[in-house]
Amino acid sequence: MPTNGKSASPEDADPPPARVRGRRPAHGEPVVDRALSLLAAFDADHRTLTLGELSRRADMPPSSALRLATRLVGWGALERDAAGRYCIGLRLLEVATLAPRGHGLRQVALPFMHDLAEVTRQHVQLAVRDGMQAMLVERLSAPQAAPVDYRIGGRLPLHSTGVGLALLAFAPRAVQEGLLSKPVYSEPGNRLIAPDVLRRTLAEVRRERLAVFRREDETETIVSVAAPVFGKDDGVVGVLGVLVPKRVAQPRRLGLAVQTAARSISRELGARRAIGSEG
């Protein structure tokens, strides 16, 4: 309040605080978060999106979506087709190949995966753990292989796939307990899995260094056999797996083949103690 009884003029008012360059407004998401929301709007069932669809799936105004999408197109993270629809750009693939946990492991594993694919004539998978899920970084499939929905870059549950169980069995205790602390249901089937049952399964996978999982689909039961791949620090860096129909599955024979290939990959990555070859 003024002390002289006069009304305060604009000149008397305190000047607004100077805006600090590089600081974002107090309200609203950072630009990078909104840009990532646009990229996250795409998935296996939504590979191309109109501006309106992109705006709705990213939960942002069309004007903001257009501005950010235009910048992402300029950088190469997004592309536009002749109809004006957006899709993921090749620049992201270029960047993704630099990920050591995916591409580096894949380069070493591919020759051994090809050998397994020749023997099994089915699906061969390479997966890594990403948080509480498994991510498929490579898949080789024979023409006559049973149809499956798994794709490169796709995410799989840790508790309901062969590669997932192998990754979970060798994950840090905090990851295991984080999953077991909540109700866990089988996929498909949606049946509750008792924590002590899952703990026994994980202990067996660690002991045998092999996971065997049977997934019952509407048309056919698929058997997954997976083994851990160790890195130079003797920690698990990924999992190698094979998918075959139950009618032709021989888990014991497959297990030996998968373990042999996984050990060979581990040796190439520099593992020693974990595969019994110290020195």
Side-chain angles (χ1 to χ4, degrees), residues 129-191:
R129 184 176 63 83
D130 186 26
M132 301 300 286
Q133 294 176 308
M135 175 176 282
L136 201 62
V137 296
E138 185 56 271
R139 170 185 143 183
L140 301 179
S141 301
Q144 68 271 32
V148 294
D149 293 332
Y150 304 136
R151 62 180 178 83
I152 297 174
R155 295 177 180 272
L156 314 174
L158 291 177
H159 64 283
S160 283
T161 56
V163 293
L165 283 173
L167 287 167
L168 183 60
F170 290 92
R173 180 62 59 87
V175 173
Q176 297 178 12
E177 294 304 320
L179 188 145
L180 289 164
S181 65
K182 304 172 184 177
V184 178
Y185 295 89
S186 63
E187 298 181 24
N190 203 36
R191 294 188 299 272

Side-chain angles (χ1 to χ4, degrees), residues 151-223:
R151 62 180 178 83
I152 297 174
R155 295 177 180 272
L156 314 174
L158 291 177
H159 64 283
S160 283
T161 56
V163 293
L165 283 173
L167 287 167
L168 183 60
F170 290 92
R173 180 62 59 87
V175 173
Q176 297 178 12
E177 294 304 320
L179 188 145
L180 289 164
S181 65
K182 304 172 184 177
V184 178
Y185 295 89
S186 63
E187 298 181 24
N190 203 36
R191 294 188 299 272
L192 182 65
I193 303 174
D196 58 334
V197 171
L198 185 51
R199 282 193 175 92
R200 286 198 298 270
T201 298
L202 297 179
E204 182 179 356
V205 172
R206 283 191 295 272
R207 183 174 61 253
E208 301 293 334
R209 294 197 175 185
L210 191 72
V212 178
F213 182 83
R214 291 168 177 81
R215 185 181 182 92
E216 297 180 5
D217 291 326
E218 293 181 0
T219 57
E220 190 165 25
T221 297
I222 300 295
V223 177

Side-chain angles (χ1 to χ4, degrees), residues 45-58:
D45 297 321
H46 302 85
R47 295 177 183 269
T48 60
L49 298 170
T50 65
L51 177 63
E53 292 168 337
L54 194 58
S55 169
R56 287 192 297 274
R57 289 179 60 80

